[in-house]
Amino acid sequence: MKEPDKTPSNDTLVREFVEAFNTKDADRLAPYLHPDVVFHAYGDERCAAGV
C-alpha cells in the first residue's frame, strides 16, 4: 500500500486520492480518510440500520 506524500501539492494529493478511490480498495483509501470512516457494501443491512 502506497502512503500519501506527506507534503504534496494540491494537484498531487487530489490525483493520488482519485487513483486510490478508483481502485475501490478501502486499504488504499485509508490514509486519506478519518479513522472513523467505515465502508459497507451497497445493500448491506448495516447501512439501512444506520450502523
Side-chain angles (χ1 to χ4, degrees):
M1 174 172 63
K2 182 182 176 204
E3 289 289 326
D5 187 353
K6 300 298 181 197
T7 56
S9 69
N10 286 339
D11 185 58
T12 301
L13 180 66
V14 170
R15 287 178 190 272
E16 289 178 356
F17 173 80
V18 170
E19 181 180 310
F21 183 85
N22 284 334
T23 67
K24 299 179 182 173
D25 181 351
D27 291 332
R28 289 201 52 201
L29 280 174
Y32 298 96
L33 303 174
H34 190 277
D36 289 343
V37 172
V38 176
F39 292 92
H40 296 286
Y42 180 77
D44 189 328
E45 290 180 16
R46 292 177 293 182
C47 293
V51 176

